[in-house]
Short mmCIF file of all heavy atoms in Angstrom, two decimals:
data_model
loop_
_atom_site.label_atom_id
_atom_site.label_comp_id
_atom_site.label_asym_id
_atom_site.label_seq_id
_atom_site.Cartn_x
_atom_site.Cartn_y
_atom_site.Cartn_z
N GLN B 157 -10.16 10.75 -2.32
CA GLN B 157 -9.98 11.24 -0.97
C GLN B 157 -10.11 12.75 -0.94
O GLN B 157 -9.62 13.43 -1.84
CB GLN B 157 -8.59 10.86 -0.43
CG GLN B 157 -8.35 9.40 -0.22
CD GLN B 157 -6.99 9.12 0.36
OE1 GLN B 157 -6.18 8.39 -0.20
NE2 GLN B 157 -6.71 9.69 1.53
N LEU B 172 -11.50 12.89 7.52
CA LEU B 172 -10.92 12.64 6.20
C LEU B 172 -11.91 11.72 5.46
O LEU B 172 -12.29 10.67 5.97
CB LEU B 172 -9.57 11.95 6.31
CG LEU B 172 -8.36 12.81 6.68
CD1 LEU B 172 -8.47 13.34 8.10
CD2 LEU B 172 -7.07 12.01 6.52
N TRP B 185 -7.42 2.31 5.98
CA TRP B 185 -6.77 3.59 6.17
C TRP B 185 -5.33 3.34 6.64
O TRP B 185 -5.10 2.59 7.58
CB TRP B 185 -7.47 4.44 7.23
CG TRP B 185 -8.60 5.25 6.68
CD1 TRP B 185 -9.93 5.03 6.84
CD2 TRP B 185 -8.49 6.43 5.90
NE1 TRP B 185 -10.66 5.99 6.19
CE2 TRP B 185 -9.79 6.88 5.61
CE3 TRP B 185 -7.41 7.19 5.41
CZ2 TRP B 185 -10.05 8.03 4.85
CZ3 TRP B 185 -7.66 8.32 4.67
CH2 TRP B 185 -8.97 8.73 4.40
N TYR B 186 -4.39 3.99 5.93
CA TYR B 186 -2.98 3.93 6.28
C TYR B 186 -2.47 5.35 6.54
O TYR B 186 -3.00 6.32 6.00
CB TYR B 186 -2.14 3.36 5.14
CG TYR B 186 -2.42 1.93 4.76
CD1 TYR B 186 -3.41 1.62 3.83
CD2 TYR B 186 -1.66 0.89 5.29
CE1 TYR B 186 -3.64 0.30 3.45
CE2 TYR B 186 -1.88 -0.43 4.92
CZ TYR B 186 -2.88 -0.71 4.00
OH TYR B 186 -3.10 -2.01 3.62
N ARG B 187 -1.41 5.45 7.32
CA ARG B 187 -0.69 6.71 7.43
C ARG B 187 0.77 6.47 7.06
O ARG B 187 1.30 5.36 7.26
CB ARG B 187 -0.78 7.31 8.83
CG ARG B 187 -0.22 6.47 9.95
CD ARG B 187 -0.24 7.22 11.27
NE ARG B 187 0.79 8.24 11.35
CZ ARG B 187 0.90 9.11 12.36
NH1 ARG B 187 0.03 9.10 13.36
NH2 ARG B 187 1.87 10.00 12.36
N GLN B 188 1.38 7.50 6.51
CA GLN B 188 2.79 7.40 6.11
C GLN B 188 3.54 8.62 6.60
O GLN B 188 3.30 9.74 6.13
CB GLN B 188 2.92 7.27 4.59
CG GLN B 188 4.35 7.04 4.14
CD GLN B 188 4.45 6.78 2.66
OE1 GLN B 188 3.68 7.30 1.86
NE2 GLN B 188 5.40 5.94 2.27
N ASP B 189 4.45 8.40 7.52
CA ASP B 189 5.30 9.47 8.01
C ASP B 189 6.49 9.63 7.07
O ASP B 189 6.85 8.69 6.35
CB ASP B 189 5.76 9.15 9.43
CG ASP B 189 4.58 9.06 10.40
OD1 ASP B 189 3.54 9.70 10.13
OD2 ASP B 189 4.69 8.33 11.40
N ILE B 197 -4.04 1.91 10.00
CA ILE B 197 -4.73 2.53 11.13
C ILE B 197 -5.99 1.74 11.47
O ILE B 197 -6.16 1.27 12.59
CB ILE B 197 -5.13 3.98 10.80
CG1 ILE B 197 -3.92 4.80 10.34
CG2 ILE B 197 -5.78 4.65 12.01
CD1 ILE B 197 -4.29 6.18 9.81
N TYR B 215 -7.75 7.92 16.50
CA TYR B 215 -8.59 7.89 15.31
C TYR B 215 -9.86 7.08 15.56
O TYR B 215 -9.88 6.20 16.42
CB TYR B 215 -7.84 7.25 14.14
CG TYR B 215 -6.49 7.84 13.84
CD1 TYR B 215 -5.33 7.28 14.38
CD2 TYR B 215 -6.37 8.95 13.01
CE1 TYR B 215 -4.08 7.82 14.13
CE2 TYR B 215 -5.12 9.50 12.74
CZ TYR B 215 -3.99 8.93 13.30
OH TYR B 215 -2.76 9.47 13.04
N LEU B 227 -12.48 8.70 8.06
CA LEU B 227 -11.56 8.60 9.20
C LEU B 227 -11.68 9.88 10.02
O LEU B 227 -11.52 10.98 9.49
CB LEU B 227 -10.12 8.43 8.71
CG LEU B 227 -9.03 8.37 9.78
CD1 LEU B 227 -9.10 7.04 10.54
CD2 LEU B 227 -7.66 8.54 9.15
N LEU B 229 -10.45 12.30 13.20
CA LEU B 229 -9.45 12.69 14.20
C LEU B 229 -10.16 13.58 15.20
O LEU B 229 -10.70 14.64 14.83
CB LEU B 229 -8.30 13.47 13.58
CG LEU B 229 -7.22 12.73 12.83
CD1 LEU B 229 -7.72 12.22 11.49
CD2 LEU B 229 -6.01 13.64 12.62
N ALA B 233 -3.16 16.08 17.28
CA ALA B 233 -1.87 16.25 17.95
C ALA B 233 -0.77 16.33 16.90
O ALA B 233 -0.93 15.78 15.80
CB ALA B 233 -1.62 15.08 18.89
N SER B 235 1.80 14.68 16.54
CA SER B 235 2.22 13.34 16.12
C SER B 235 1.34 12.78 15.00
O SER B 235 1.70 11.76 14.38
CB SER B 235 2.18 12.38 17.31
OG SER B 235 0.87 12.29 17.83
N GLN B 236 0.21 13.40 14.74
CA GLN B 236 -0.67 12.95 13.66
C GLN B 236 -0.38 13.65 12.33
O GLN B 236 -1.07 13.40 11.34
CB GLN B 236 -2.13 13.15 14.06
CG GLN B 236 -2.54 12.25 15.21
CD GLN B 236 -3.95 12.47 15.66
OE1 GLN B 236 -4.34 13.60 16.00
NE2 GLN B 236 -4.76 11.42 15.68
N THR B 237 0.63 14.49 12.31
CA THR B 237 1.10 15.06 11.05
C THR B 237 1.63 13.94 10.19
O THR B 237 2.57 13.22 10.58
CB THR B 237 2.21 16.10 11.31
OG1 THR B 237 1.66 17.21 12.01
CG2 THR B 237 2.83 16.57 10.00
N SER B 238 1.02 13.76 9.02
CA SER B 238 1.35 12.61 8.19
C SER B 238 0.61 12.72 6.87
O SER B 238 -0.17 13.64 6.65
CB SER B 238 0.96 11.32 8.93
OG SER B 238 1.48 10.18 8.29
N VAL B 239 0.87 11.77 6.00
CA VAL B 239 0.06 11.61 4.79
C VAL B 239 -0.83 10.40 5.01
O VAL B 239 -0.36 9.32 5.39
CB VAL B 239 0.92 11.42 3.54
CG1 VAL B 239 0.04 11.28 2.30
CG2 VAL B 239 1.89 12.58 3.36
N TYR B 240 -2.11 10.57 4.75
CA TYR B 240 -3.09 9.52 4.99
C TYR B 240 -3.59 8.97 3.66
O TYR B 240 -4.04 9.72 2.79
CB TYR B 240 -4.26 10.07 5.81
CG TYR B 240 -3.85 10.42 7.22
CD1 TYR B 240 -3.25 11.64 7.51
CD2 TYR B 240 -4.05 9.51 8.26
CE1 TYR B 240 -2.85 11.94 8.80
CE2 TYR B 240 -3.64 9.81 9.55
CZ TYR B 240 -3.05 11.02 9.81
OH TYR B 240 -2.64 11.33 11.09
N PHE B 241 -3.51 7.65 3.53
CA PHE B 241 -3.96 6.98 2.31
C PHE B 241 -5.12 6.05 2.64
O PHE B 241 -5.06 5.27 3.60
CB PHE B 241 -2.84 6.15 1.69
CG PHE B 241 -1.74 6.97 1.09
CD1 PHE B 241 -0.54 7.14 1.76
CD2 PHE B 241 -1.90 7.57 -0.16
CE1 PHE B 241 0.49 7.89 1.21
CE2 PHE B 241 -0.88 8.33 -0.71
CZ PHE B 241 0.31 8.49 -0.02
N CYS B 242 -6.14 6.12 1.81
CA CYS B 242 -7.25 5.19 1.87
C CYS B 242 -7.07 4.18 0.75
O CYS B 242 -6.54 4.52 -0.32
CB CYS B 242 -8.55 5.96 1.70
SG CYS B 242 -10.05 4.95 1.73
N GLY B 258 -5.96 5.55 -2.87
CA GLY B 258 -6.30 6.91 -3.24
C GLY B 258 -5.06 7.78 -3.31
O GLY B 258 -3.95 7.33 -3.00
N PRO B 259 -5.22 9.07 -3.68
CA PRO B 259 -4.08 9.97 -3.86
C PRO B 259 -3.50 10.50 -2.56
O PRO B 259 -2.43 11.10 -2.55
CB PRO B 259 -4.65 11.10 -4.71
CG PRO B 259 -6.10 11.12 -4.35
CD PRO B 259 -6.49 9.69 -4.10
N GLY B 260 -4.20 10.32 -1.45
CA GLY B 260 -3.67 10.76 -0.16
C GLY B 260 -4.18 12.11 0.29
O GLY B 260 -4.59 12.96 -0.52
N THR B 261 -4.17 12.30 1.61
CA THR B 261 -4.47 13.58 2.25
C THR B 261 -3.26 13.96 3.09
O THR B 261 -2.84 13.18 3.96
CB THR B 261 -5.71 13.50 3.16
OG1 THR B 261 -6.87 13.27 2.38
CG2 THR B 261 -5.87 14.79 3.96
N ARG B 262 -2.70 15.14 2.82
CA ARG B 262 -1.52 15.60 3.56
C ARG B 262 -1.97 16.49 4.70
O ARG B 262 -2.51 17.58 4.46
CB ARG B 262 -0.58 16.34 2.63
CG ARG B 262 0.20 15.37 1.78
CD ARG B 262 0.52 15.88 0.39
NE ARG B 262 1.14 14.84 -0.41
CZ ARG B 262 0.48 13.86 -1.02
NH1 ARG B 262 -0.83 13.81 -0.96
NH2 ARG B 262 1.12 12.95 -1.71
N LEU B 263 -1.77 16.01 5.94
CA LEU B 263 -2.26 16.70 7.12
C LEU B 263 -1.10 17.20 7.96
O LEU B 263 -0.16 16.46 8.24
CB LEU B 263 -3.12 15.75 7.97
CG LEU B 263 -3.60 16.30 9.30
CD1 LEU B 263 -4.60 17.43 9.06
CD2 LEU B 263 -4.23 15.21 10.15
N THR B 264 -1.17 18.47 8.33
CA THR B 264 -0.19 19.07 9.24
C THR B 264 -0.92 19.57 10.48
O THR B 264 -1.92 20.29 10.35
CB THR B 264 0.54 20.24 8.57
OG1 THR B 264 1.21 19.77 7.39
CG2 THR B 264 1.57 20.84 9.51
N VAL B 265 -0.42 19.19 11.64
CA VAL B 265 -0.99 19.65 12.91
C VAL B 265 0.04 20.52 13.61
O VAL B 265 1.16 20.08 13.88
CB VAL B 265 -1.38 18.47 13.82
CG1 VAL B 265 -2.00 19.00 15.12
CG2 VAL B 265 -2.33 17.54 13.10
#
Side-chain angles (χ1 to χ4, degrees):
Chain B
Q157 294 182 237
L172 283 67
W185 274 106
Y186 295 88
R187 60 175 285 174
Q188 185 174 33
D189 298 333
I197 306 172
Y215 307 95
L227 177 71
L229 282 72
S235 60
Q236 293 177 304
T237 294
S238 191
V239 181
Y240 292 83
F241 290 102
C242 179
T261 293
R262 283 147 186 80
L263 175 67
T264 301
V265 181

